[in-house]
Amino acid sequence: MDLLGLLRELVARTTVSGDARAQRDALGTLTDVLRDRAPHLEVTTGRDPDHPWTLLRTPTDPTRRQLLLACHVDTVPVPDPGAWSRDPFGAELDGGRVWGRGGSDMKAGVVAAVAALAAADPETPAALLLTSDEEIGSKGAAAAAAAVAEQSIGAVVVPEATGNQVVLGHKGALWLAVRTAGRAAHGSTPERGHNAVLDLAALLGRAGGTLPFRTDPFLGTETWNPGVVAGGTVPNVVPERAEVVIDMRTVADGGELLDWWRTQPEVADVEVRVDLPPVGTPADDPWVAGLPAPVLPAPATYFTDASVLGQVVGGAPVVVWGPGTPAVMHAVDEYVELAELEQAAAAFTEVAARWRG
């Protein structure tokens, strides 16, 4: 398989989260590439019009446990292309790197997984799940979860960017839209109104020191980030509404954190935008111990589709392991090392060849 050619084709495509058509087209291209090389593969496509997904699997005995590779095709947007030193969708090859949005996150991982399944023996119980909208809460994986739950899964590889080192888990994610309510009045007589922005400011000022964060020996301590704040309309009107969207990374069920926000006196409403559980696989798992890559002692700093898939694979080990540099994920001048892609494709092919289910 032409790894470089397929990677450059994918990076050249704009497949931003939320663009169902572009992501569906990418899924179709990858399916065609695989079926050209492995016509025996069975293909299942999702019916969700907003969050497409595709599952390709070898038609083996359904009682045999499958090795599942799980990848997303979406990327975060490029808000300012002028800040890049290259075209973010140019997919240039320079210095042994392919440059462009999605190179590390995670189109190189997609190509490595496609190559492994294409090379797998038709009798090997293996599958590839291609999802959409991972970057906005693993929505494609959630749409595919029921189909995955019907399969017998023995192990899962999520080929996100880890520099080809095996990562055993990551924190969960709880994204909340927290709103405060006030009473509008003329800006020259603020005493006649109630300022929702000031309520929100007081709430955020207090939250950092009082949120009931927990600590896990492997995952670390929970975190919060008030990432988007909005409130008011014009300077001379007391704002009657304000909102903050908060990203919390969790080490256990997020219910306690959600309850904290809901019980604060300033809060009028809380909307759950994303609620994904943490992921963790024991380091002494026999399958993990046999993987041809070093195992990192620390978790990934980001969340992945593993949060969804881990709930439907019957306790099978799940690892995050793929080509790419975590530091350039979502960053200006994102790239991936071509050598890492080639190494990942070879490693995944080896793992599939050894898999017996």
Side-chain angles (χ1 to χ4, degrees):
M1 180 176 290
D2 180 6
L3 301 177
L4 174 59
L6 182 55
L7 175 61
R8 295 186 70 184
E9 179 180 351
L10 291 179
V11 173
R13 292 176 177 235
T14 305
T15 55
V16 174
S17 307
D19 187 343
R21 174 180 291 182
Q23 294 177 85
R24 188 176 291 107
D25 287 347
L27 297 180
T29 294
L30 292 167
T31 299
D32 290 344
V33 168
L34 265 169
R35 289 298 301 274
D36 284 347
R37 290 159 178 78
H40 60 278
L41 292 174
E42 294 181 348
V43 181
T44 305
T45 56
R47 297 182 179 180
D48 188 322
D50 298 320
H51 311 298
W53 57 270
T54 300
L55 178 66
L56 302 103
R57 57 185 297 271
T58 53
T60 56
D61 182 345
T63 63
R64 297 177 67 191
R65 298 176 307 147
Q66 299 169 70
L67 172 67
L68 177 64
L69 298 159
C71 310
H72 67 88
V73 299
D74 61 309
T75 72
V76 296
V78 179
D80 183 11
W84 288 58
S85 63
R86 308 162 189 264
D87 179 354
F89 300 103
E92 294 180 34
L93 175 63
D94 184 38
R97 297 171 172 175
V98 174
W99 299 80
R101 173 59 80 225
S104 275
D105 187 13
M106 63 168 295
K107 292 180 176 181
V110 172
V111 172
V114 166
L117 188 60
D121 189 305
E123 297 300 316
T124 297
L128 172 63
L129 176 66
L130 299 169
T131 68
S132 61
D133 293 333
E134 185 267 356
E135 299 289 1
I136 54 175
S138 292
K139 297 184 183 299
V148 175
E150 294 175 353
Q151 310 298 317
S152 177
I153 304 298
V156 182
V157 176
V158 180
E160 293 272 12
T162 65
N164 284 335
Q165 300 179 92
V166 175
V167 175
L168 298 177
H170 54 72
K171 292 175 182 174
L174 181 62
W175 293 2
L176 306 176
V178 178
R179 304 181 181 102
T180 57
R183 185 174 63 256
H186 198 288
S188 65
T189 55
E191 70 278 3
R192 295 179 181 175
H194 185 88
N195 193 311
V197 169
L198 291 179
D199 277 358
L200 186 61
L203 172 65
L204 295 178
R206 186 173 69 251
T210 55
L211 276 163
F213 288 139
R214 297 152 295 183
T215 299
D216 178 86
F218 173 63
L219 296 174
T221 301
E222 292 174 322
T223 62
W224 77 301
N225 175 56
V228 180
V229 177
T233 53
V234 293
N236 56 344
V237 174
V238 175
E240 62 181 350
R241 298 286 291 176
E243 176 184 276
V244 60
V245 181
I246 298 161
D247 173 5
M248 290 183 289
R249 300 305 168 105
T250 59
V251 301
D253 179 82
E256 187 176 351
L257 292 168
L258 176 59
D259 288 344
W260 186 92
W261 289 102
R262 284 177 169 163
T263 57
Q264 299 310 297
E266 299 92 346
V267 172
D269 177 57
V270 178
E271 175 191 351
V272 178
R273 297 275 180 89
V274 171
D275 187 4
L276 298 172
V279 177
T281 292
D284 60 357
D285 179 89
W287 176 74
V288 170
L291 293 176
V295 177
L296 287 178
T301 57
Y302 45 79
F303 70 75
T304 75
D305 281 344
S307 285
V308 173
L309 300 176
Q311 301 178 78
V312 296
V313 294
V318 180
V319 298
V320 183
W321 171 34
T325 303
V328 302
M329 297 167 71
H330 301 190
V332 169
D333 290 335
E334 182 179 354
Y335 64 84
V336 66
E337 302 281 354
L338 180 57
E340 285 192 15
L341 167 59
E342 294 169 342
Q343 181 186 33
F348 296 166
T349 299
E350 177 185 344
V351 170
R354 297 194 323 220
W355 183 260
R356 295 294 176 265

